Amino acid sequence: MSEATFDYLIIGAGTAGSLLANRLSADPGKRVLLIEAGGRDDYHWIHIPVGYLYCIGNPRTDWLYQTEPDAGLNGRTLRYPRGKTLGGCSSINGMIYMRGQSRDYDQWAALTGEDSWRWDAVLPVFKQHEDHHRGADDFHGAGGEWRIERQRLRWDILDAFAQAAQQAGIPATADFNRGSNEGVGYFEVNQKSGWRWNTAKAFLRPTCYGRPNFEMWTVGQATKLLFEPDPSTGDGRPRCVGLQVWTGHGMETARVRSGGEVILSAGSIGSVQLLQLSGIGPAAHLQSLGIEPLLDLPGVGANLQDHLQIRAVFKVQGTRTLNTLSNSLWGKARIGLQYALTRSGPMSMAPSQLGAFTRSAPDKAWPDLEYHVQPLSLDAFGEPLHGFDAFTASVCNLNPTSRGTVRIRSPRFEDAPAIAPNYLSTEEDRRIAAQSLRLTRRIVAQPALARFAPQEFKPGVQYQSDEELARLAGDIATTIFHPVGTTKMGVTEGPGADPMAVVDAQLRLRGVTGLRVVDAGVMPTITSGNTNSPTLMIAEKAAAWIRAAAAAGR
């Protein structure tokens, strides 16, 4: 067992970890180690936008998690992709640039007592690392590392759906990221000239690779956090002083210097697993597995939230969709040639091209539904496309009230944790599921789509009652890969302390020193949209806090 010492240890080279490594290694006086369980992002399908089809479910790039059988899904289990490579989920996700709504961040500020989480405070942080195709304005930045571009293709069927949505009362929008994302339009994507733009490209290379104070270990899984009593607290509170890392060739130990920090950015699943393996979590569960609890924190692994998308499929006539465009060798060859020559066409596609945000009922004070509309259909992700032309209108409840858990199954780091999202476990979520399917039908019935003669293939027009639609939602719905909340931030001290908060408003782990969690797990409530770019914003704020603490000698 060898040992190395650094000022900062960052666990996870995904969305948050890549930005943190960039910001913290910018100080040449600080040695930074970035540790990634997966390999380098040198697999060609990572960089071709449609390559998510080959990265999800691939052990080279995906942790291959599965959920537990879920009562809300009528006993089904789901594939639960999480990125296992440099760039993390930004290397395998849908590339959609989405911040959420202003109310999301104002709610975080209220829950944490920290005004710097308010929308007007986080907007400049989003802009700080942004490179928006339209340039800088009041809502967007230019010149940063995180590239946002228009998509490089359009579809007649999606244009017609957008017109139908407007006929159903949803306004058109050209920008979902101004604080209220209500409207219908094509998503903007994290791409550059038709290639996926992941956080490894944006923040690690070439910048970090050229810094002598930066070191990176790939194919190295953190297995246990190391703690010692912190004499500076006066109460013997544990301080995180390092971690053990399994490299495949043996166990390595990495430590931080006095005053340094360990930053856990392994994601909503991985960070929970490492904390629980290290004795931090619900004590009774840890004891049942033979793990001696260091801290009884019941919130570690609780509060799991995710966006469940209900995939309604409609057969169409008189237009081509990806189903039939790609169902022959000649069709596939044409698609490949188009991408090779112009970096456009179906190979440049995000999984969903058209988006819409609207309200499940007229009395809703804010948009609570998001549509991902696709010019294709299939029985389940990873299955072949249908042999007929069709589009899919996937709709999700942006603010679900169902809550799930993540729990380790054993003391072995090799064993995947048990993931139980508990989808559709509240009456409100079941009611909104039924309402959203009815709204989908109302949009599709508008005149703009009539020339394509849409026919409901799934769930089927024979299902009409709330009970039937909620049950059918459980049959056809799937995750949209947005797990958050499992190490939520909140008030951790004083009379208003939240017993389930895991980190404070500056992401410091409750009850210890020297350790922060910086990933989507800290979100107390899920953002109203895709979660990748909000995670970058969280990391940007954390980097500033970490640098400030070092400057102050804390």
Side-chain angles (χ1 to χ4, degrees):
M1 179 182 291
S2 60
E3 184 171 309
T5 304
F6 298 84
D7 294 287
Y8 299 117
L9 305 179
I10 304 169
I11 305 165
T15 297
S18 294
L19 183 144
L20 285 163
N22 181 292
R23 300 300 188 248
L24 298 180
S25 64
D27 181 349
K30 301 292 186 182
R31 291 195 67 211
V32 177
L33 174 63
L34 178 63
I35 301 165
E36 169 55 40
R40 291 180 177 268
D41 60 331
D42 53 5
Y43 182 41
H44 67 283
W45 282 119
I46 290 175
H47 306 289
I48 299 171
V50 80
Y52 66 89
L53 292 169
Y54 306 98
C55 292
I56 291 175
N58 184 339
R60 181 172 179 171
T61 49
D62 183 1
W63 282 95
L64 305 180
Y65 294 133
Q66 294 273 341
T67 67
E68 299 295 286
D70 198 302
L73 303 184
N74 304 320
R76 291 189 298 135
T77 64
L78 297 179
R79 181 183 289 178
Y80 217 64
R82 297 283 87 199
K84 188 180 182 182
T85 182
L86 291 185
C89 289
S90 77
S91 294
I92 69 170
N93 70 0
M95 296 164 282
I96 292 171
Y97 181 70
M98 190 66 60
R99 296 170 177 169
Q101 302 192 85
S102 59
R103 64 173 299 273
D104 301 330
Y105 302 101
D106 294 344
Q107 184 179 31
W108 290 8
L111 290 170
T112 62
E114 174 59 67
D115 278 348
S116 70
W117 287 113
R118 293 185 62 82
W119 167 253
D120 56 2
V122 302
L123 178 58
V125 184
F126 277 112
K127 294 168 62 178
Q128 182 176 334
H129 51 250
E130 191 176 49
D131 186 22
H132 197 275
H133 64 89
R134 283 197 296 267
D137 61 21
D138 289 344
F139 290 94
H140 293 289
E145 299 94 342
W146 197 226
R147 180 64 179 169
I148 299 111
E149 295 189 347
R150 293 187 182 94
Q151 295 188 63
R152 300 168 74 86
L153 76 168
R154 302 186 77 86
W155 297 82
D156 287 347
I157 190 66
L158 298 188
D159 290 342
F161 188 97
Q163 293 167 13
Q166 292 171 60
Q167 291 169 348
I170 303 172
T173 185
D175 190 348
F176 289 118
N177 290 295
R178 290 175 170 255
S180 171
N181 46 21
E182 189 161 19
V184 59
Y186 279 83
F187 290 122
E188 294 177 321
V189 290
N190 294 118
Q191 293 182 10
K192 193 167 189 176
S193 302
W195 299 98
R196 176 190 290 273
W197 193 246
N198 69 353
T199 57
K201 290 178 184 175
F203 298 101
L204 294 183
R205 63 174 183 267
T207 314
C208 288
Y209 293 171
R211 292 172 175 168
N213 60 322
F214 172 78
E215 189 169 332
M216 182 170 68
W217 298 352
T218 55
V219 196
Q221 185 171 352
T223 64
K224 188 176 183 180
L225 298 166
L226 304 176
F227 293 89
E228 295 176 357
D230 187 343
S232 68
T233 65
D235 57 6
R237 184 177 302 186
R239 182 174 187 85
C240 189
V241 296
L243 69 152
Q244 292 179 347
V245 183
W246 176 254
T247 65
H249 306 289
M251 196 72 75
E252 304 279 345
T253 300
R255 290 183 175 269
V256 289
R257 295 188 177 95
S258 176
E261 290 197 38
V262 177
I263 303 124
L264 183 49
S265 297
S268 296
I269 309 302
S271 290
V272 168
Q273 182 181 21
L274 184 56
L275 286 169
Q276 292 182 359
L277 287 172
S278 305
I280 298 174
H285 178 69
L286 300 182
Q287 288 169 332
S288 73
L289 299 175
I291 297 173
E292 182 65 29
L294 177 72
L295 284 173
D296 182 11
L297 290 185
V300 175
N303 193 48
L304 173 63
Q305 299 158 62
D306 190 13
H307 288 141
L308 182 74
Q309 61 174 351
I310 305 170
R311 297 175 56 83
V313 174
F314 295 85
K315 293 183 177 181
V316 292
Q317 302 173 21
T319 189
R320 302 294 296 278
T321 66
L322 194 61
N323 289 10
T324 53
L325 281 174
S326 63
N327 67 355
S328 68
L329 288 176
W330 171 239
K332 290 182 174 70
R334 287 181 61 191
I335 289 170
L337 185 63
Q338 183 181 11
Y339 184 74
L341 295 176
T342 67
R343 295 289 178 264
S344 64
M347 287 188 69
S348 72
M349 283 173 52
S352 300
Q353 294 81 56
L354 187 76
F357 289 82
T358 189
R359 304 160 198 253
S360 60
D363 60 350
K364 278 287 181 181
W366 58 83
D368 65 331
L369 298 178
E370 179 182 10
Y371 279 89
H372 292 76
V373 192
Q374 307 151 335
L376 55 85
S377 66
L378 65 172
D379 287 333
F381 191 87
E383 298 294 318
L385 297 176
H386 291 140
F388 48 81
D389 281 308
F391 69 88
T392 301
S394 295
V395 60
C396 71
N397 177 358
L398 288 169
N399 311 120
T401 52
S402 299
R403 297 291 185 268
T405 59
V406 177
R407 296 282 187 267
I408 56 172
R409 302 175 190 270
S410 81
R412 289 168 39 89
F413 71 87
E414 303 94 333
D415 294 340
I419 304 168
N422 296 333
Y423 295 119
L424 301 174
S425 58
T426 67
E427 183 58 37
E428 179 179 345
D429 287 357
R430 290 189 293 272
R431 183 181 70 254
I432 290 176
Q435 290 171 334
S436 65
L437 282 169
R438 286 200 179 89
L439 177 58
T440 303
R441 288 171 172 172
R442 185 161 66 87
I443 293 171
V444 174
Q446 297 300 314
L449 280 165
R451 63 191 172 105
F452 300 116
Q455 292 180 287
E456 185 173 321
F457 179 67
K458 283 187 176 184
V461 294
Q462 65 270 34
Y463 305 107
Q464 293 291 331
S465 70
D466 277 5
E467 183 178 351
E468 287 175 325
L469 291 176
R471 178 173 58 81
L472 265 294
D475 284 339
I476 65 175
T478 187
T479 174
I480 202 167
F481 318 141
H482 296 165
V484 308
T486 50
T487 52
K488 75 169 186 175
M489 60 177 163
V491 179
T492 57
E493 295 182 354
D498 177 358
M500 298 299 287
V502 176
V503 297
D504 69 9
Q506 293 193 8
L507 313 184
R508 295 169 292 206
L509 193 82
R510 184 177 201 156
V512 305
T513 59
L515 178 61
R516 296 186 206 235
V517 182
V518 184
D519 55 37
V522 305
M523 297 184 187
T525 53
I526 194 166
T527 53
S528 299
N530 310 69
T531 54
N532 187 249
S533 290
T535 302
L536 267 186
M537 179 275 293
I538 290 169
E540 192 80 83
K541 287 177 66 65
W545 283 325
I546 293 166
R547 291 194 304 265
R554 299 195 302 271

